[in-house]
Amino acid sequence: MSGAKLLEGFSGKLADRWAGAIFTPAFIFWLGGGLATLQHFGWREVEKFFSHLSEPRLIGLGLLLLLVVAASGFVAQQFEFTVLRLMEGYWPSWCHLLAKRLLRRQKGRLRAVDKQLQDFNRQGLASLTLEERQVYIQKDLQLLEFPETGRLLPTRLGNILRAAEDRCAVKYGLDAIICWPRLWLLLPDSAKTELSATRNALNMTALLWIWSLLFLLWAPIFKVWWPLPLGVVSMWLAHRWMIQAAQVYGALLESAFDLYRFQLYKALHWPFPKTPAEEQTLGQKLTDYLWHGSAQRFPEFTDDQQ
């Protein structure tokens, strides 16, 4: 194969790689950096730089830039979980003053929503107008976003996810944090697919928020103003999408316990509860068993579950 054809084939593969990288958050970040560089140094200087590069060097530069985009995207992904935890309100101790202030705000929101619902209940649901019913439904849905007062977190995102986890314990006695890894292994593929897609969407919003924050750095580095509003707007949108993804994920997580919790009982040969009240007790015992084990004689394992 001639050198020209080799370069042509390699260029084609490189173009395919670039097509896959375009419009990822990492690519948009580095594209913004390139535009800021162009504005800072001027088009002529940049054009002069590239005009002196041979085709092999241009290909090498393209490959290097592709590696930078891919590597930076991989590094940023390692911080998804950390950023999500921070956005949920799991902060270090030195942030306690800010956490206390935001907790008071969350408690105020919870009290306001609860008071409005109580006012509607005192008024009587049958007497509500169509507009008032819509407000009632909206406030009732908002109330689902809050865990108990003693379990509140400083942020709305954290409260949405914690409330979904807590409802599993309230309804079934099953602690979601302890039981979820075991239940996940028993879910059908269709349920896993939906949950994975929603979780990936939540992770992607966190990744977008990271890159949006980093995008702000181009402003002081190259002394340009436009990365600031673009970065701030992108951070705001990422947070909005994060909230929406968390609402869907929380609903699916709770639904998985609603529909498949008895698969966990069956797999562990744990006796099925016969009433909701009994389920509370057996669910709590099952959670304790999974967390600490047990040397108790009851409940007895069973093999006759259908």
Side-chain angles (χ1 to χ4, degrees):
M1 180 181 292
S2 66
K5 288 188 175 181
L6 179 63
L7 285 176
E8 182 180 352
F10 191 76
S11 299
K13 291 182 178 179
L14 185 60
D16 292 339
R17 293 289 186 180
W18 270 112
I22 289 176
F23 302 126
T24 62
F27 176 81
I28 299 299
F29 169 79
W30 289 110
L31 177 62
L35 294 175
T37 303
L38 189 63
Q39 183 177 349
H40 182 75
F41 291 104
W43 170 254
R44 290 186 177 179
E45 290 296 325
V46 176
E47 183 182 24
K48 182 180 178 181
F49 171 79
F50 282 101
S51 64
H52 287 82
L53 295 178
S54 63
E55 184 176 355
R57 289 186 177 181
L58 283 173
I59 293 175
L61 181 60
L63 180 60
L64 176 62
L65 293 176
L66 181 61
L67 289 174
V68 169
V69 172
S72 60
F74 174 78
V75 171
Q77 283 182 332
Q78 311 313 304
F79 292 92
E80 285 179 358
F81 180 74
T82 301
V83 168
L84 273 175
R85 294 290 286 180
L86 291 174
M87 299 292 283
E88 288 177 45
Y90 297 98
W91 298 340
S93 58
W94 52 268
C95 294
H96 70 279
L97 291 178
L98 177 61
K100 286 177 63 176
R101 177 173 296 184
L102 292 179
L103 270 175
R104 286 197 296 269
R105 181 181 177 184
Q106 293 296 324
K107 290 178 181 178
R109 289 184 61 234
L110 174 57
R111 285 195 297 268
V113 172
D114 188 53
K115 182 178 182 302
Q116 286 179 294
L117 287 173
Q118 290 181 14
D119 291 342
F120 281 129
N121 288 326
R122 280 194 295 267
Q123 182 179 343
L125 299 182
S127 63
L128 298 181
T129 64
L130 179 60
E131 292 77 10
E132 289 174 333
R133 285 179 179 273
Q134 291 176 342
V135 174
Y136 178 85
I137 293 172
Q138 180 185 12
K139 296 302 176 182
D140 198 31
L141 290 174
Q142 287 181 8
L143 190 64
L144 292 176
E145 295 184 357
F146 293 96
E148 295 182 359
T149 304
R151 296 267 297 163
L152 282 172
L153 287 167
T155 68
R156 183 184 177 190
L157 177 68
N159 286 325
I160 289 172
L161 294 174
R162 175 168 282 187
E165 296 166 358
D166 286 359
R167 282 195 296 274
C168 300
V170 170
K171 292 193 295 185
Y172 309 124
L174 298 172
D175 186 285
I177 301 299
I178 297 172
C179 297
W180 178 244
R182 287 86 173 177
L183 181 60
W184 171 262
L185 298 175
L186 303 172
L187 295 179
D189 291 340
S190 58
K192 287 183 178 180
T193 299
E194 291 296 327
L195 282 158
S196 296
T198 308
R199 184 68 197 194
N200 289 336
L202 182 58
N203 292 341
M204 280 300 299
T205 58
L207 190 61
L208 177 59
W209 193 91
I210 293 172
W211 284 114
S212 302
L213 177 64
L214 294 175
F215 197 86
L216 301 176
L217 296 177
W218 295 130
I221 291 175
F222 293 106
K223 297 180 174 59
V224 291
W225 63 270
W226 52 266
L228 294 176
L230 289 178
V232 169
V233 170
S234 184
M235 290 172 65
W236 178 78
L237 288 174
H239 184 260
R240 289 287 298 254
W241 295 333
M242 199 180 299
I243 293 294
Q244 294 172 3
Q247 290 171 333
V248 177
Y249 181 74
L252 289 178
L253 175 70
E254 183 181 2
S255 298
F257 278 88
D258 292 340
L259 299 176
Y260 302 110
R261 66 190 185 279
F262 288 122
Q263 296 297 321
L264 187 62
Y265 279 78
K266 183 177 181 180
L268 293 170
H269 300 280
W270 204 257
F272 280 178
K274 295 180 175 60
T275 65
E278 187 181 7
E279 182 173 12
Q280 272 280 331
T281 302
L282 284 177
Q284 291 171 3
K285 289 182 180 295
L286 178 55
T287 296
D288 292 339
Y289 174 68
L290 290 176
W291 186 238
H292 297 293
S294 175
Q296 301 296 322
R297 294 181 178 274
F298 299 97
E300 295 182 358
F301 293 130
T302 178
D303 289 321
D304 59 354
Q305 297 174 357
Q306 300 298 322

